[in-house]
Amino acid sequence: VCSSDLYHMVTKVSLASLTTNFLTTGAYKDAIFTPSEIFLINVPDKLYFNNASPYTPSPTFYRGQLPSDAQYKEYLGTGVLAAKAISGSPSTPWGTQYFYTMPNSNTTNDTRLVIAGTFKNNGDDTGTPVFYPVHINYNSADGSPAQSGQTAKQTYANYNYKLTVVIQGKGADHPTDIIDKQTATVTATVQPFVDATQTNIFN
C-alpha cells in the first residue's frame, strides 16, 4: 500500500484582475491603456534545496520577453495579445492570466509579473510603450506579504499568488524599472494549490 499527498514544487501566479482607475481631475483623466503582453522576469532556471533556505535559486534567471535574448523562455509569457484597451475610473476588469515559476527566495532579483502595453494620454495620442513590473507576494499599500509568515517578494512552492492590479498612471520605460504605488497599486492574496491525496494498492 502506498499513500501520499501530492504537492507542487512550482509557484503559480495569477493575474486575477487588471483595471484602470485614473483620477478624474488628474493629468491622466482621459488616459487609455492597451496591454500587449504579460510575462514573468527573474525566474530561476533551477533551485538548490537545503535546510537553511529550501528555495535558493541559481544565479541564472529567465524572462518571458525579448526573443533575441538568451534568457528568453516562451512559456513565461503570453506572447502578443489581441488589442483590448482599458480606460476609465474604474474600468471593467481585463481578463485573467496564469503563469508558473520556480520558487525564488531572492528579494533583490525577485520574480515579477510585467504588464506591457501602450499608454495614451487621450484618444488623440499615438501612444507610448510602457511597462508595469509587479512584485509577487507583495501588497504595494504597506509592503506586506500576501501570506502571513512569509517574506515579502519571495515566492514559495505550492502557493497560488493572486494579483489584483489597478493602473493609475503612466508605466515605466523598461520592464526592470520600479514603479511606485501611485502609478499602480497591487493587492496580493494567496491560496495553496489543491492537495491531491492518492492511494495505490498492489496485490
Side-chain angles (χ1 to χ4, degrees):
V1 176
C2 176
S3 180
S4 62
D5 290 333
L6 302 180
Y7 297 93
H8 301 82
M9 296 310 296
V10 296
T11 301
K12 185 175 182 180
V13 180
S14 303
L15 178 57
S17 176
L18 174 63
T19 58
T20 59
N21 191 20
F22 303 117
L23 293 176
T24 56
T25 57
Y28 301 122
K29 61 184 179 65
D30 298 318
I32 302 168
F33 177 66
T34 304
S36 60
E37 186 176 3
I38 302 171
F39 57 94
L40 296 176
I41 61 172
N42 296 341
V43 175
D45 70 331
K46 64 176 69 74
L47 298 176
Y48 301 110
F49 291 92
N50 60 70
N51 292 331
S53 182
Y55 304 134
T56 303
S58 72
T60 301
F61 294 97
Y62 292 137
R63 50 178 167 256
Q65 200 214 23
L66 304 176
S68 60
D69 193 324
Q71 292 179 295
Y72 169 77
K73 296 294 179 183
E74 183 178 8
Y75 64 88
L76 296 177
T78 60
V80 178
L81 296 166
K84 181 181 176 184
I86 51 177
S87 61
S89 307
S91 68
T92 301
W94 184 95
T96 301
Q97 301 289 333
Y98 305 97
F99 305 87
Y100 295 89
T101 175
M102 299 288 270
N104 187 357
S105 61
N106 188 322
T107 56
T108 301
N109 292 314
D110 57 302
T111 302
R112 299 169 201 167
L113 179 74
V114 181
I115 302 164
T118 301
F119 186 92
K120 295 182 178 182
N121 292 314
N122 52 59
D124 297 325
D125 187 7
T126 56
T128 304
V130 296
F131 301 89
Y132 297 91
V134 174
H135 296 291
I136 300 167
N137 195 17
Y138 181 81
N139 288 297
S140 61
D142 57 9
S144 65
Q147 176 69 18
S148 177
Q150 293 185 357
T151 299
K153 299 182 184 179
Q154 291 188 1
T155 52
Y156 296 75
N158 205 46
Y159 282 91
N160 177 17
Y161 295 96
K162 302 175 71 175
L163 309 178
T164 298
V165 180
V166 181
I167 292 174
Q168 302 173 127
K170 189 175 182 179
D173 294 332
H174 303 285
T176 55
D177 290 346
I178 301 300
I179 56 175
D180 59 32
K181 62 184 179 182
Q182 281 71 42
T183 300
T185 60
V186 182
T187 303
T189 58
V190 67
Q191 65 184 44
F193 279 20
V194 177
D195 296 338
T197 302
Q198 176 177 316
T199 301
N200 296 325
I201 300 175
F202 300 97
N203 294 321

